[in-house]
Amino acid sequence: MPAIQLARLKMQSASLVECYSDAQAFVHRLHTLLNFYANRAYRPGEAGEPPPLLAAYHVASPVLRQIVADLVPLIHENPAAALLLADALWAEPFLEFRQLATAILGRMPSSHAPDVLQRIKAWVKPGLEERLWKSCLVEGLRWVREDHPELYKEMIADWLVEKDRFYQRIGLAALELFLQSPAFEDYPWVFRVLSSFVREIHPDLHADLINLMGALARKTPQETIYFLHQWLSFGKDEPNVVRLVRNILRRSSPEFAEDLRRVI
């Protein structure tokens, strides 16, 4: 992997985005550019995370950041071409191509929220590796979360009522991201959609629910305590519900845990 020289990288990225309106030419040039910066000495696990399931060039993060920065003004000028480019990039079975596709969606004009949601729904399917579905949520939906909260809510609700636990997990992760928004206040809606999990909580979802409850406890502790009390009351005969509440207690702040114990 050659050392990154910023001036050279900017020239290479500028040459790449000249093909912005020709998705296939862009894909071809992107392969060439990423191949130039590919880390051929990469060893799985050395970065502290499992190796990607897709093929990857393992380029350093400044490379993709520069490409995204050069794409942003073009995306705003011609969003229709951006959508075609995102589709072409996602069709390539390479990690960096799909990460770039989600980055493009996350920089689309707010008026194109339906186009963004259509692609996220098509891309996030069982079997998609975790780092990519997280990229779809964090990067691809970042402006939808802020500018179109009702559309984002509909997507979360659709995922949470799915029978497939993959979609349920995606919905919980998307909901946790929603809670991180400083402007978010619709906690009654959160507890309402979570009530669907009272009857059956699969162990595969425990870690996600613990994280979510931790986020709720920090934002609205008393309402969270009341919800957990109701949850435990309705699910007292469900071992997974009892186990989940115990794990939430163990991982909560001392103050929250004490208040929750007092109630239950």
Side-chain angles (χ1 to χ4, degrees), residues 191-243:
F191 294 123
R192 195 159 57 247
V193 297
L194 285 177
S195 63
S196 62
F197 287 98
V198 170
R199 297 302 175 193
E200 180 182 357
I201 303 175
H202 195 276
D204 289 352
L205 301 175
H206 276 205
D208 302 285
L209 282 165
I210 290 169
N211 291 337
L212 183 60
M213 288 302 164
L216 279 168
R218 289 188 292 273
K219 297 289 288 279
T220 178
Q222 294 307 312
E223 290 83 353
T224 305
I225 287 171
Y226 176 79
F227 176 77
L228 288 172
H229 178 239
Q230 294 296 106
W231 210 358
L232 192 58
S233 297
F234 284 114
K236 61 181 180 298
D237 297 325
E238 297 288 342
N240 281 327
V241 174
V242 176
R243 190 178 303 117

